[in-house]
Amino acid sequence: MDSMAGDEVTHATIIFPVVLVLLVAFLVRVQQRQSDLTRIPTVGPSRFPLSYIGAVQFLFHAERLLQEGYQHYKPSAFKVARFTRWIVVITGPRLVEELRKAPEDEMSYDATTDSKELTSTGIHVDIGHIAPLSTHLTRNLPLMFSEMRDEMVTAIGDAMPNVSATVSAIDASTEIFSRVCNRILVGLEVCRSPEMTVLNKQFLEGKARGKAILSALPMYLFIALRGRVNRVRSLIEPMIAQKPEDFGMFGKEYPHGILSSLIAADSSNPKASRHIADAILALNAHAIPALSLTFTHALYHLATASPSDVVQPMREEVEAAVGRGGWTPSALERMRRIDSFLKESMRVSGLHALTMLRKSRTDYTFSDGTHVPKGTILAVACAATHADPSKYPSPQTFDAFRFVQGSGQAASRYQLSTTAPDFLGWGYGRAACPGRFVAAVQMKMVLAHLVLHYDVRLEDGAGDVRPRDWWVGSERLPDLSARLMFKKRR
Ligand code: HEM
């Protein structure tokens, strides 16, 4: 007994000073980083250790702090505290353009990927594989259109089997987008596998609910997904290795040879098909939560929109567009109101308060004299830009047809998938979302179908107020528990 107590004392006497030294070294490093940035104004307490209060404030009130910084310091920069570092927030078109144009060897964008979370699931994350998959999908979109639509109609029918169905908005969205996206990625059989849908629901929960508890937690929630990731991978990998020509997006009918070029790039690697399967899983982990959360925000706007001023005009537009030759890519292009509705939803209820996350690889000075040392994390205030009255009159109003403007070429400036310094929902510049064209087509297709075939309202007893959004750090989540009533129209 005595010797065990002695061991505990010895461990404590060794561990405690080591932890203390590491903690002090960490705090000193944080302080050094802080002194490098003292010339940049701070929102919240700036002095160490009070800056930690700022980090706690950021966890709960990021949107307000960023809004405050944007109003005070636009068109320059300000900083906000996180637990381990500062984020320098760039505002105003001139500096945003400078950040966009900064070469990769000066501003890297490794900061954009959720690779740490994904790596903890055992997925091999290689953006060199993931981004080309998105580009391949975009190039083949017109060819894949009818397959996506077929899957969408079946998935919506399965999610809302009765004439009137009251369902969880987030669950229905995740199921629909998991199937539509994966129908073209991995084919009919795997896209309908319950394992695939459940994995995507868990990716979403890992991101959304995990962040709700503490921003450090998702990584641990993701570790719990290892088993399911392995099971889904074992559905995909053998199909790539054995019969690529029959497999989803790689099939012969889709040109641009994505599979052969990915395998050639990885030819010396015996794990090539494993890596491609993992690229597909990594793409799922980003694309399905992004699509489902974005679309759930839009569904809440739809359920509370005016039936005569918003829903009916969209319905008439869809009827006119498909009446001229059915459901085709060009019919979707003619749906300007549907496009604008989704874009306005992303403006008002976008998923991120910060975008264009970058890390300086060298000391860097902006044209207004703002100087950041090597290793600084920078970002652009997305939500505050979207709420700027000099860019959007009455920015707090959800104006469904705000972006129905111009005609011909001029109209494309206002399109859902177009990035701009004042529309940052997809990021902006070289690292802007390469899947945005696919995402825009899929969301438009689903919204147009729902508007045409269903009346969508909040569930009985929920009143007529849009379910509340909530912020976790710099992420905006829709209400994950709200249910909507979908009533089939004759
Ligand atoms: C509504 C749905 C979506 C939203 C809101 C969204 C948004 C974003 C944002 C904000 C970024 C980071 C941009 C930056 O740092 O500047 C991003 C990156 C990315 N997105 Fe999306 N995305 C969506 C759907 C998709 C889909 C469907 C795909 C693929 C088919 C996709 C593929 C990617 C990839 C590969 C990247 C990483 C690019 C890189 O780091 O180089 N996204 N997305």
Side-chain angles (χ1 to χ4, degrees):
M1 263 315 248
D2 278 357
S3 105
M4 270 175 68
D7 281 353
E8 276 167 26
V9 172
T10 322
H11 283 142
T13 47
I14 295 171
I15 291 168
F16 182 69
V18 170
V19 170
L20 198 66
V21 168
L22 288 177
L23 188 66
V24 170
F26 173 72
L27 293 178
V28 167
R29 179 71 198 113
V30 169
Q31 203 173 10
Q32 274 170 354
R33 279 203 188 126
Q34 174 178 307
S35 62
D36 293 339
L37 294 171
T38 42
R39 282 162 186 268
I40 299 179
T42 309
V43 176
S46 67
R47 289 200 164 258
F48 174 82
L50 290 183
S51 52
Y52 282 101
I53 296 178
V56 174
Q57 284 174 339
F58 192 83
L59 196 58
F60 297 105
H61 306 290
E63 190 206 12
R64 184 173 54 70
L65 294 178
L66 291 167
Q67 184 70 41
E68 226 173 275
Y70 185 89
Q71 275 164 359
H72 273 81
Y73 301 112
K74 185 186 145 202
S76 188
F78 62 94
K79 65 181 188 295
V80 287
R82 305 301 319 266
F83 287 106
T84 51
R85 57 196 333 143
W86 292 96
I87 298 183
V88 173
V89 183
I90 300 299
T91 70
R94 187 159 59 112
L95 298 197
V96 172
E97 282 300 328
E98 286 177 28
L99 185 65
R100 176 177 77 85
K101 288 182 186 156
E104 246 257 82
D105 56 356
E106 294 181 7
M107 288 288 171
S108 77
Y109 41 81
D110 339 327
T112 60
T113 50
D114 296 332
S115 51
K116 254 198 253 161
E117 288 170 10
L118 279 186
T119 308
S120 67
T121 64
I123 293 178
H124 170 84
V125 183
D126 179 353
I127 193 70
H129 280 161
I130 303 166
L133 284 184
S134 317
T135 319
H136 176 76
L137 287 179
T138 304
R139 288 206 193 119
N140 286 297
L141 259 180
L143 296 171
M144 294 170 162
F145 190 86
S146 55
E147 263 189 280
M148 288 195 294
R149 180 162 155 74
D150 176 63
E151 197 55 44
M152 174 202 71
V153 173
T154 322
I156 292 180
D158 290 348
M160 298 139 198
N162 304 320
V163 177
S164 172
T166 301
V167 298
S168 146
I170 189 69
D171 283 352
S173 299
T174 313
E175 172 126 23
I176 293 165
F177 286 106
S178 174
R179 280 177 54 177
V180 173
C181 248
N182 281 301
R183 172 73 180 263
I184 53 175
L185 272 171
V186 297
L188 189 144
E189 199 185 317
V190 181
C191 87
R192 292 189 186 171
S193 139
E195 289 282 4
M196 187 56 129
T197 309
V198 175
L199 178 66
N200 277 316
K201 286 187 177 165
Q202 290 181 334
F203 277 146
L204 190 141
E205 270 171 27
K207 281 174 190 247
R209 296 197 201 279
K211 281 200 168 90
I213 306 166
L214 196 68
S215 48
L217 247 175
M219 213 194 303
Y220 303 104
L221 291 179
F222 271 77
I223 291 174
L225 299 192
R226 274 177 179 256
R228 194 168 308 275
V229 162
N230 282 335
R231 289 202 290 282
V232 176
R233 186 195 279 130
S234 70
L235 297 176
I236 304 175
E237 196 187 334
M239 293 170 82
I240 299 176
Q242 284 156 24
K243 246 184 153 209
E245 66 280 10
D246 288 347
F247 181 62
M249 67 183 299
F250 303 119
K252 292 186 283 294
E253 62 272 39
Y254 305 122
H256 307 298
I258 184 77
L259 184 67
S260 47
S261 66
L262 287 178
I263 289 182
D266 226 2
S267 58
S268 57
N269 188 343
K271 289 190 170 167
S273 41
R274 156 72 60 101
H275 287 177
I276 293 166
D278 279 12
I280 291 172
L281 290 171
L283 198 59
N284 268 272
H286 160 73
I288 311 303
L291 278 164
S292 316
L293 293 167
T294 302
F295 198 76
T296 298
H297 278 297
L299 278 179
Y300 294 155
H301 285 298
L302 180 66
T304 48
S306 155
S308 55
D309 297 342
V310 176
V311 181
Q312 188 54 27
M314 287 202 286
R315 217 164 251 163
E316 284 163 12
E317 178 185 71
V318 177
E319 272 164 357
V322 297
R324 276 169 62 187
W327 288 89
T328 58
S330 41
L332 267 202
E333 264 172 43
R334 290 194 291 274
M335 296 179 195
R336 302 276 305 280
R337 292 175 189 151
I338 293 281
D339 195 282
S340 172
F341 184 96
L342 287 162
K343 185 162 182 165
E344 178 69 345
S345 174
M346 281 180 75
R347 182 189 73 79
V348 173
S349 318
L351 301 183
H352 313 286
L354 289 173
T355 189
M356 288 178 76
L357 280 156
R358 303 286 180 269
K359 187 175 186 178
S360 57
R361 286 189 164 163
T362 55
D363 289 5
Y364 189 91
T365 308
F366 287 88
S367 61
D368 71 337
T370 299
H371 175 81
V372 294
K374 181 178 170 183
T376 306
I377 299 287
L378 299 103
V380 172
C382 176
T385 307
H386 288 178
D388 183 338
S390 72
K391 297 177 193 304
Y392 297 102
S394 310
Q396 303 308 331
T397 307
F398 180 87
D399 178 358
F401 305 139
R402 189 187 288 272
F403 295 102
V404 182
Q405 289 184 44
S407 58
Q409 284 285 0
S412 66
R413 235 188 91 206
Y414 300 100
Q415 253 169 13
L416 174 57
S417 54
T418 305
T419 61
D422 52 10
F423 184 76
L424 297 160
W426 311 105
Y428 182 50
R430 270 191 311 274
C433 177
R436 62 188 184 278
F437 303 98
V438 178
V441 163
Q442 293 188 353
M443 290 196 297
K444 284 180 73 173
M445 192 186 251
V446 178
L447 181 63
H449 182 87
L450 289 177
V451 162
L452 194 59
H453 295 290
Y454 293 85
D455 285 317
V456 183
R457 307 305 307 162
L458 299 179
E459 75 175 317
D460 283 345
D464 54 6
V465 179
R466 189 180 182 275
R468 224 179 117 221
D469 294 346
W470 43 295
W471 283 92
V472 184
S474 57
E475 314 283 322
R476 183 198 329 247
L477 296 173
D479 184 331
L480 298 179
S481 60
R483 291 159 65 81
L484 297 179
M485 194 169 75
F486 293 83
K487 203 165 167 201
K488 251 187 206 141
R489 298 177 65 232
R490 290 219 179 170

